[in-house]
Amino acid sequence: MQKGFVAYNNEQKSLEAETEGIKNSQTLIQKAMNWFSARSMFVVAYGTGCGAIEMPPVFTSRYDIERLGVVGVATPRQADIMIVSGYCSLKTLRRVIRTYEQMSEPKYVIALGSCTINGGMYWDSYNTIKKLEEYIGVDMYVAGCMPRPEALIEGFVKLQESIRNNTIQPGYVKYREDYAYYQANQEKLLGKETQPVYEEDYAGMNLS
Amino acid sequence: MFIDLLIMLVMAYGFGFLYYGLYRNISARVHGRFGPSLAQSFYDSIKLFTKDTSTDFGWMFFAGPIIMASGAILTVLFIPYFNHGERLVGLSPYGNLIVVLYFMVLGPLGNALGVGSHGNPFGAMGITRGLTRLLGLEMPFYIAVVGLMIANESADIGTIMANQAETYNIIAHPLLFIAAFISFLGFLGKSPFDVVGAPQEVYSGPAVEFGGKFLALALSQSAIFSFAKLLLMVDLFLGGADSLWDLILKTFVLFVASVFVGNVYGRFTTAQSVDFLLKVPTVIAIVGLLFV
Ligand code: SF4
């Protein structure tokens, strides 16, 4: 017991030392940029599962998350954060991936509810995905079935802290660097047609 | 001169965003919330300037926000900040009210050009709504402004301000003020005339494909533009400002009045807003014109 605890403690320390290293390697401009992106978050709320019902109270008078600089926007082009609120069926996953890829960097994902972590109560469903992080980069999980609005706010605060202190490797960086892994996972489920197929050269862009 | 122009721009940017922060704060209190910090709009704009842009629909797409921004910047530079005519008069000796009115519609046109190139239906809907609304807005505003020009026998903003040394135009021509104030509410784009970017209907309308730096540019220009319109109203109807405090006080009063109207009334539909603008304020403006 004691031994295990010591081992755990050491591991924890080495992890923290690693993040300390990241923290100190930031330049002043990066620090300022991180501070601003933590202080102002535009959210596109993707209400996939039943957890979506907890989002309206977070954004309205009862919990008022605008205090923390978090506001909802209507389109992924303008968003910094996507909330995936619960289980994703295969059909939904396609849309989630497209929405995620339309957001401009730096972008973050909050996964809300147990369903996004390990499948939750849909752990043996033939039709929903089990781990969201196999398909897109996820930065913060909020556990619970369903999580209270306070939990979601806590998730936001934690995410803001980690962006400000640069203590995590953002999901979008992983997604960009490890794209082959994510793409293989996506294709295993959805087939080759995950990405939209553009047939014509639209407005002078080379899309091939 | 150059330093003056720079100060004018920085002031417009600062006050524009400060007032926008206040707008969000006051609205939050009306909803029974705390609301964001006053500087939140600055944070938003700086953050957006540091973001990537993920869309590309050809050069016209990027030219849109730039034309909008130049429209807003030119408008603010042609409006004198103070009525003593010494500092912060900008380019106003080189242009009069008609030039300002011309630059005021440059923004929506630039917006339309940019939006036209990406072909998103929500953008096109937003622009159609915006230009339709503009049709209704311009009528009463132009009649009111023409009334002022006739009364002062001049189209120069400085002269109109100087003639208000004894009585402000708001008292001398109250009907013109009411008409101009209603269309000023529309120009600000706040409720009840916020048909253009209505998030629940057209998903932020013209801005739907813009993200990152170009959205930041669009936001900054709208902050500068709002302050320019406040200034214009202060110059035309409240006698301009003697000092910085006077300027802040007068723009603030006008701004708070517009915020309260916006928080009390729900959104008009596009047809309703044009209908309303072409009936109520236009008639008021015409009656006002008869008294000039
Ligand atoms: S975690 Fe629970 S509440 Fe959330 S989507 Fe899954 S089943 Fe629904």
Side-chain angles (χ1 to χ4, degrees):
Chain A
M1 180 75 184
Q2 188 65 24
K3 217 173 152 190
F5 184 70
V6 170
Y8 168 78
N9 238 358
N10 285 342
E11 194 187 335
Q12 189 64 25
K13 264 188 203 139
S14 71
L15 281 178
E16 274 167 17
E18 226 167 72
T19 56
E20 275 299 304
I22 302 178
K23 201 168 159 181
N24 293 337
S25 68
Q26 288 185 87
T27 62
L28 203 62
I29 293 182
Q30 274 169 338
K31 271 187 194 159
M33 277 168 69
N34 285 339
W35 192 87
F36 280 112
S37 32
R39 196 62 190 75
S40 148
M41 291 182 157
F42 288 2
V43 177
V44 57
Y46 203 113
T48 59
C50 21
I53 206 69
E54 297 292 336
M55 284 195 286
V58 173
F59 287 100
T60 47
S61 306
R62 183 76 173 88
Y63 291 97
D64 184 28
I65 200 160
E66 204 182 354
R67 284 173 296 156
L68 307 177
V70 179
V71 284
V73 289
T75 125
R77 302 268 188 233
Q78 303 168 357
D80 311 305
I81 313 262
M82 175 164 71
I83 306 179
V84 181
S85 62
Y87 59 82
C88 286
S89 68
L90 298 190
K91 207 170 167 184
T92 317
L93 183 64
R94 263 181 226 275
R95 276 75 181 173
V96 168
I97 293 170
R98 268 194 83 168
T99 312
Y100 181 65
E101 289 184 347
Q102 282 183 26
M103 291 161 63
S104 44
E105 295 178 2
K107 58 185 173 186
Y108 305 91
V109 173
I110 294 183
L112 184 67
S114 311
C115 283
T116 53
I117 302 176
N118 55 12
M121 66 188 258
Y122 296 96
W123 62 276
D124 60 349
S125 164
Y126 64 94
N127 194 19
T128 61
I129 58 159
K130 305 298 172 287
K131 292 183 182 170
L132 185 64
E133 67 181 1
E134 289 178 352
Y135 307 96
I136 57 176
V138 177
D139 296 282
M140 183 62 62
Y141 281 112
V142 179
C145 179
M146 51 188 42
R148 295 272 307 152
E150 289 95 332
L152 181 53
I153 293 177
E154 181 76 16
F156 268 112
V157 173
K158 282 267 160 57
L159 182 61
Q160 285 180 330
E161 265 168 26
S162 53
I163 295 174
R164 194 175 302 132
N165 301 330
N166 203 9
T167 48
I168 49 165
Q169 189 191 21
Y172 70 89
V173 177
K174 279 187 242 164
Y175 191 76
R176 187 155 22 95
E177 286 172 1
D178 251 356
Y179 185 61
Y181 164 76
Y182 290 100
Q183 197 185 20
N185 285 341
Q186 291 168 6
E187 282 182 1
K188 206 160 84 190
L189 277 190
L190 306 173
K192 289 270 179 221
E193 285 170 25
T194 325
Q195 302 306 320
V197 186
Y198 296 109
E199 274 162 6
E200 49 195 320
D201 186 9
Y202 183 56
M205 278 196 301
N206 186 9
L207 292 164
S208 56
Chain B
M1 172 80 171
F2 183 70
I3 294 181
D4 265 20
L5 295 185
L6 212 62
I7 296 176
M8 284 169 81
L9 260 185
V10 172
M11 271 176 75
Y13 180 84
F15 277 113
F17 271 128
L18 199 63
Y19 282 168
Y20 186 54
L22 259 179
Y23 169 78
R24 286 169 71 174
N25 237 290
I26 296 174
S27 314
R29 294 303 158 96
V30 174
H31 299 164
R33 300 186 280 124
F34 278 108
S37 83
L38 265 190
Q40 186 61 47
S41 313
F42 289 108
Y43 301 154
D44 289 349
S45 104
I46 295 172
K47 176 211 69 183
L48 283 171
F49 272 119
T50 66
K51 271 187 79 119
D52 271 0
T53 300
S54 62
T55 38
D56 181 359
F57 295 99
W59 65 272
M60 202 62 215
F61 178 68
F62 299 120
I66 295 174
I67 298 175
M68 266 159 81
S70 4
I73 290 173
L74 280 173
T75 313
V76 84
L77 293 185
F78 273 99
I79 304 176
Y81 278 33
F82 296 119
N83 58 12
H84 42 57
E86 288 154 22
R87 297 302 304 273
L88 300 193
V89 290
L91 302 173
S92 60
Y94 306 102
N96 53 21
L97 203 43
I98 295 171
V99 178
V100 172
L101 292 183
Y102 170 74
F103 282 133
M104 277 175 82
V105 294
L106 198 61
L109 291 182
N111 206 352
L113 286 177
V115 169
S117 59
H118 66 58
N120 188 315
F122 292 119
M125 271 159 70
I127 280 297
T128 323
R129 285 163 164 236
L131 292 181
T132 319
R133 187 192 64 178
L134 196 64
L135 212 69
L137 283 179
E138 283 181 336
M139 190 70 101
F141 196 72
Y142 286 1
I143 297 177
V145 167
V146 166
L148 285 188
M149 287 184 199
I150 297 172
N152 291 286
E153 295 176 352
S154 163
D156 180 41
I157 303 180
T159 317
I160 296 179
M161 271 198 293
N163 289 348
Q164 296 177 63
E166 274 141 36
T167 36
Y168 290 166
N169 278 340
I170 184 173
I171 297 167
H173 307 287
L175 291 178
L176 291 186
F177 172 75
I178 293 172
F181 183 71
I182 294 176
S183 45
F184 161 75
L185 289 181
F187 271 119
L188 278 188
K190 299 274 183 310
S191 154
F193 300 109
D194 53 345
V195 288
V196 180
Q200 300 88 342
E201 294 165 17
V202 287
Y203 305 99
S204 78
V208 67
E209 286 287 327
F210 289 107
K213 299 183 176 55
F214 288 89
L215 184 65
L217 199 62
L219 275 188
S220 313
Q221 74 85 23
S222 101
I224 292 178
F225 205 22
S226 312
F227 189 66
K229 290 167 210 164
L230 281 169
L231 264 184
L232 187 65
M233 286 296 283
V234 168
D235 282 0
L236 292 183
F237 290 99
L238 297 176
D242 293 328
S243 60
L244 189 61
W245 292 119
D246 205 19
L247 181 77
I248 294 175
L249 182 75
K250 283 175 178 169
T251 47
F252 183 74
V253 167
L254 210 56
F255 166 78
V256 169
S258 74
V259 171
F260 282 139
V261 174
N263 270 308
V264 171
Y265 292 101
R267 184 186 310 132
F268 278 146
T269 64
T270 318
Q272 276 173 340
S273 62
V274 175
D275 242 29
F276 174 80
L277 286 167
L278 284 185
K279 280 179 192 153
V280 182
T282 311
V283 171
I284 296 177
I286 292 173
V287 176
L289 196 59
L290 296 181
F291 282 105
V292 168

